[in-house]
Amino acid sequence: MQEETTQKTIALAIKTSKLTASVLQKAMKMYLEHQKHKEPSHGKIPVKKLIGQGEGAKSIEVTDSNIKSFERVARKYNVDFAVKKDKTTEPPKYLVFFKGKDADVIAQAFKEFVKVQARET
């Protein structure tokens, strides 16, 4: 299972009369250049990656076991977040980490999340 998540495959489609090392090198450079300018995705990411972005991280403690529905609301607001389950408490609590600059946005997302949860119950 671990190998499946760490390995990636790239497929390149090249139109050429003769495939040489230089043609393949140019194609790989074009692909890498495209990846640099690609719009970063938002949503759930690992804690290490969130902290590694160097923008400071804050967290909010959530006791709700229905944390999955929060993901939908957070994606709507285009925030990067990471969820960590604290198993030392009973019932387990969830820590939602997010970038420090997204504090106002994440607060609004949580307000909407609570409103949606109140409607569903």
Side-chain angles (χ1 to χ4, degrees):
M1 181 70 178
Q2 182 66 21
E3 290 179 6
E4 293 175 11
T5 58
T6 58
Q7 293 181 356
K8 291 185 179 182
T9 304
I10 300 171
L12 293 174
I14 305 169
K15 285 187 178 182
T16 182
S17 58
K18 186 175 182 181
L19 184 61
T20 63
S22 63
V23 171
L24 187 57
Q25 183 180 15
K26 285 180 185 178
M28 289 299 294
K29 283 183 181 179
M30 288 173 58
Y31 171 76
L32 292 173
E33 191 65 32
H34 173 73
Q35 287 299 100
K36 283 182 187 177
H37 300 297
K38 193 172 145 181
E39 180 80 20
S41 63
H42 297 285
K44 188 175 181 180
I45 60 175
V47 177
K48 281 185 176 182
K49 186 173 182 181
L50 183 71
I51 293 172
Q53 291 177 350
E55 298 180 21
K58 294 186 179 184
S59 67
I60 295 178
E61 192 174 285
V62 180
T63 56
D64 189 14
S65 62
N66 196 7
I67 196 71
K68 289 286 185 188
S69 57
F70 170 72
E71 292 179 23
R72 183 177 64 247
V73 176
R75 281 194 202 105
K76 176 182 173 184
Y77 284 91
N78 289 329
V79 293
D80 293 333
F81 65 96
V83 179
K84 190 76 172 172
K85 186 176 182 179
D86 182 11
K87 297 177 184 177
T88 60
T89 60
E90 191 58 42
K93 294 181 182 179
Y94 295 88
L95 293 172
V96 179
F97 293 92
F98 55 93
K99 293 179 187 174
K101 68 176 187 164
D102 290 340
D104 294 335
V105 177
I106 202 80
Q108 183 62 33
F110 265 109
K111 285 180 187 176
E112 183 174 328
F113 170 66
V114 169
K115 192 168 94 175
V116 168
Q117 290 301 316
R119 271 193 303 211
E120 290 179 0
T121 56

